[in-house]
Amino acid sequence: MFLGLDSSTQSLSAVILDPASGEILASHSVNFGNDLPQYGSPSGFIPGGKDGEVHANPLMWLEALDLLFNKLSKEADLSQIQIIAGSGQQHGSVYLGAGFDAALSKLDAGKGLVEQLSPELTRNTSPIWMDTSTGEECAEITAALGGSSEVCARSGSVAIERFTGPQIRRFSKQDGEAYSATTRIHLVSSFIASVLAGKSLPIDYGDGAGMNLLNLADLAWDTDLLEATAPDLGNKLLPPASCLEQQGTVSAYFTEKYGVPSSCKVCPFTGDNPASLVGMGATTPGQVVISLGTSDTFFAAMPDAKTDPQGFGHVFGNPAGGFMSLICFRNGSLAREAIRDELGVDWSAFEKGALQLTELSAGKNLTLPFYGAEITPRHDFGSPVTEFIEEPTPALRIRSLLEGQFLNMKLHSAWMGVTTDRIRLTGGASKNDGIAQLVADVFQAPVERLDVANSAALGTALIAATVGGNDLEALQKIFCKPAPDSLLQPNPALAGKYSTALEQFGKLLAATIGA
Ligand code: XUL
């Protein structure tokens, strides 16, 4: 049996699977808001942060770990677990003092993790990925390196507010004393992995690439970026590693308390997005994942560490080797809901039948589909910009907005230089056949829908099984199956129309944002 964990923004989840039977034996989740209300973090972070700060309490993650193992041990025979892998929400950081590793090595199973590890924190809270407070630090790091294209070429992303390097810099400037007392900085992922292993484990390449500190060319911390970020930073980080390199066995704490065997191996944890790439069965180049949520995300495997010349996309390590892209679009369901409400229609107007009625107008009318600020491209649009050659009926406005969303995705993922052989669509709106068909038509690639409740936890359980000697691709065929009858083929008759539309969309965008 193999255990995968994912410590995300709102919950800590576990999946236990058996590759031999092809079955998921147990899955469990601790919801921080509902199950640990004493931390006052209904959505997993401390509300009311100032100046763009969004922090979480790392003790909440520890308490969730005890709670999760407690629940799991009642549901499954944990003595059968051979390997544990895992992931965490990306970019969040935990600050620890000189006694951390010693405390980990002598955890007492008679006590809880919180009471034993809280004295080792040098910072009570952890900035997480929602934090936007580090604009000044991003500018300073960028200037020190001689420009954003240099930061991007080295680390896979321009300096970004939520990324860990700028966050560390802000802490070192704000509280130099606490920063100096910090001897180890962990990501959420490596923090949880370390507690499980009873010693500090390295940050993995997948998650480490979300720090603006990892040099993608040599997969080592970049000395110039370290220096531009904060004093003595290199000594506070362990050298990065692959999440496929197991790093010793589980701490006696988990053996005595929950029955995990002392022979159980622990791997470095990765980021939730790299783990999702695995859980969505998309680790080979050519496979693209589009997740339709409040924001939309596009991620895909890449053989080489290419970076986005415009600096909107990010490059992380792919757990299966090579790299992956991650591109976030703020105006996902936000925009779909905005036009729905503006036109006073319901979701049936977005369904396949409704969209088919306007198919003759495919690609004819353009919409820059942004209500307010967007991050890809970075621009505050205020409201959508349209260029219609037909009467803008509600049906045509919906078609044009959706086309605009996926043309924008296609335009801003072209830098990867990877052909799209198959798209795996997930997230709430993926169930809508009309939207899914439009994705297939704009990208001219088949679309499959995957309804995986927690693709990151599943992905890490697959990583654990792979480390245990199983073939990842074979596992993905079993565990990452598309929903039955969910395959949609592109309509080849629309290929020419959408390639013209893509060109025109690019021109309208450039004219609007002055690029
Ligand atoms: C990725 C990002 C989020 C977090 C939380 O860059 O910020 O997806 O990983 O899930």
Side-chain angles (χ1 to χ4, degrees):
M1 281 168 38
F2 297 91
L3 169 61
L5 299 174
D6 175 50
S7 180
S8 75
T9 315
Q10 307 211 11
S11 52
L12 173 70
S13 307
V15 166
I16 298 178
L17 58 78
D18 174 12
S21 68
E23 269 179 70
I24 305 260
L25 302 174
S27 60
H28 235 309
S29 209
V30 171
N31 181 283
F32 302 136
N34 296 337
D35 298 329
L36 298 167
Q38 64 272 35
Y39 288 93
S41 304
S43 303
F45 55 86
I46 302 157
K50 294 206 176 58
D51 305 322
E53 278 189 356
V54 183
H55 286 211
N57 186 340
L59 300 178
M60 176 181 77
W61 300 327
L62 291 178
E63 187 147 358
L65 196 60
D66 264 330
L67 202 56
L68 183 77
F69 270 89
N70 193 11
K71 281 187 181 177
L72 278 177
S73 63
K74 292 188 176 130
E75 211 178 273
D77 178 7
L78 299 188
S79 72
Q80 300 302 309
I81 300 209
Q82 287 168 255
I83 300 178
I84 302 175
S87 61
Q89 54 171 308
Q90 293 200 249
H91 319 299
S93 43
V94 186
Y95 299 77
L96 300 144
F100 177 58
D101 269 76
L104 284 182
S105 70
K106 49 174 200 283
L107 286 173
D108 177 352
K111 298 178 183 165
L113 291 172
V114 168
E115 64 167 308
Q116 298 183 78
L117 294 176
S118 61
E120 311 309 330
L121 291 171
T122 51
R123 190 183 193 182
N124 290 334
T125 60
S126 292
I128 65 161
W129 64 278
M130 297 163 85
D131 190 298
T132 54
S133 67
T134 64
E136 193 178 293
E137 288 73 19
C138 288
E140 289 163 351
I141 293 168
T142 305
L145 267 286
S148 53
S149 48
E150 188 59 29
V151 179
C152 187
R154 290 179 189 226
S155 75
S157 300
V158 299
I160 296 281
E161 287 85 345
R162 69 184 188 281
F163 276 41
T164 325
Q167 292 290 343
I168 294 172
R169 178 165 181 79
R170 183 170 155 92
F171 178 50
S172 78
K173 282 164 57 182
Q174 278 188 334
D175 192 347
E177 214 172 298
Y179 175 77
S180 298
T182 303
T183 53
R184 182 71 65 225
I185 298 175
H186 276 297
L187 293 179
V188 178
S189 57
S190 63
F191 176 60
I192 307 281
S194 301
V195 173
L196 280 159
K199 62 176 185 189
S200 274
L201 289 200
I203 287 169
D204 104 301
Y205 305 133
D207 213 10
M211 301 174 77
N212 283 139
L213 291 173
L214 187 75
N215 189 307
L216 295 184
D218 55 13
L219 293 178
W221 303 124
D222 185 289
T223 43
D224 297 327
L225 283 167
L226 288 173
E227 201 174 307
T229 299
D232 196 30
L233 180 52
N235 288 327
K236 302 180 199 287
L237 301 169
L238 288 174
S242 158
C243 62
L244 300 177
E245 287 164 27
Q246 39 119 348
Q247 302 273 341
T249 51
V250 76
S251 147
Y253 178 89
F254 292 89
T255 302
E256 285 168 36
K257 200 162 185 170
Y258 304 113
V260 180
S262 55
S263 58
C264 175
K265 309 274 192 321
V266 182
C267 300
F269 281 19
T270 188
D272 58 352
N273 293 297
S276 280
L277 189 77
V278 179
M280 291 294 292
T283 33
T284 37
Q287 321 290 310
V288 163
V289 179
I290 297 177
S291 170
L292 301 174
T294 310
S295 298
D296 292 340
T297 50
F298 174 107
F299 55 92
M302 298 191 298
D304 312 302
K306 267 196 190 138
T307 51
D308 180 358
Q310 289 189 292
F312 304 132
H314 309 300
V315 179
F316 301 140
N318 173 348
F323 297 88
M324 68 175 284
S325 64
L326 178 104
I327 315 171
C328 300
F329 301 86
R330 189 176 165 274
N331 282 268
S333 290
L334 276 177
R336 292 184 285 273
E337 282 165 18
I339 196 165
R340 178 199 62 183
D341 297 345
E342 195 181 317
L343 298 174
V345 295
D346 61 27
W347 288 120
S348 63
F350 294 71
E351 273 299 342
K352 201 167 180 174
L355 287 166
Q356 267 166 351
L357 294 174
T358 54
E359 200 172 276
L360 280 177
S361 299
K364 275 192 186 166
N365 307 296
L366 299 176
T367 300
L368 304 184
F370 312 111
Y371 286 78
E374 176 51 55
I375 52 176
T376 308
R378 252 189 199 236
H379 187 74
D380 194 349
F381 286 85
S383 58
V385 176
T386 55
E387 199 173 85
F388 269 59
I389 57 168
E390 292 174 289
E391 175 69 24
T393 61
L396 283 181
R397 285 183 59 191
I398 290 169
R399 167 175 277 281
S400 175
L401 178 111
L402 292 172
E403 287 177 345
Q405 289 193 310
F406 301 114
L407 288 170
N408 188 52
M409 251 183 214
K410 195 165 182 194
L411 187 70
H412 288 104
S413 55
W415 59 269
M416 293 171 52
V418 176
T419 49
T420 303
D421 299 331
R422 186 189 67 185
I423 295 169
R424 292 206 143 174
L425 206 58
T426 186
S430 68
K431 294 192 179 70
N432 183 305
D433 285 338
I435 295 177
Q437 183 64 52
L438 220 121
V439 174
D441 291 340
V442 171
F443 280 88
Q444 285 293 302
V447 163
E448 289 172 345
R449 262 77 64 77
L450 250 78
D451 196 9
V452 183
N454 190 330
S455 56
L458 172 62
T460 59
L462 295 175
I463 290 174
T466 306
V467 175
N470 295 280
D471 178 65
L472 178 60
E473 276 186 52
L475 289 173
Q476 285 172 322
K477 284 202 180 89
I478 302 169
F479 289 99
C480 319
K481 277 206 198 88
D485 303 324
S486 75
L487 177 70
L488 292 170
Q489 291 295 347
N491 177 356
L494 300 180
K497 291 187 182 183
Y498 281 129
S499 78
T500 309
L502 185 65
E503 219 171 283
Q504 288 169 342
F505 181 92
K507 283 188 189 146
L508 177 60
L509 190 62
T512 305
I513 65 181

